[in-house]
Amino acid sequence: MTVRYRHYKGGIYEFICEATLESDPSVTMVVYRAENGTIWTRPSSVFFEMIEHEGDKIPRFSPIN
């Protein structure tokens, strides 16, 4: 099943997997794909964090399906 997320700025991304960062095995990375096919990574702690946006606390990425 494909899991998609909406970035707080509006982009839609497909979650691909979580992976261990080779240079620091204590860091788990999220690998995800933009609608245009570009592959991105960021630490899972950042991907799933709550951020402040326009005075509210919201998730950086919200699941949409």
Side-chain angles (χ1 to χ4, degrees):
M1 177 178 165
T2 300
V3 179
R4 296 182 321 147
Y5 286 83
R6 181 182 313 278
H7 188 267
Y8 76 98
K9 292 181 181 176
I12 304 296
Y13 298 89
E14 177 186 346
F15 179 92
I16 297 173
C17 68
E18 288 186 307
T20 302
L21 185 62
E22 181 182 6
S23 61
D24 184 351
S26 70
V27 177
T28 300
M29 302 294 290
V30 170
V31 181
Y32 57 104
R33 179 183 298 120
E35 291 180 305
N36 67 4
T38 304
I39 302 292
W40 297 91
T41 64
R42 70 171 69 211
S44 61
S45 61
V46 175
F47 188 91
F48 293 111
E49 77 180 337
M50 298 294 286
I51 61 162
E52 189 169 321
H53 178 66
E54 297 178 353
D56 294 318
K57 284 282 208 178
I58 61 170
R60 181 181 301 276
F61 288 90
S62 299
I64 57 173
N65 57 346

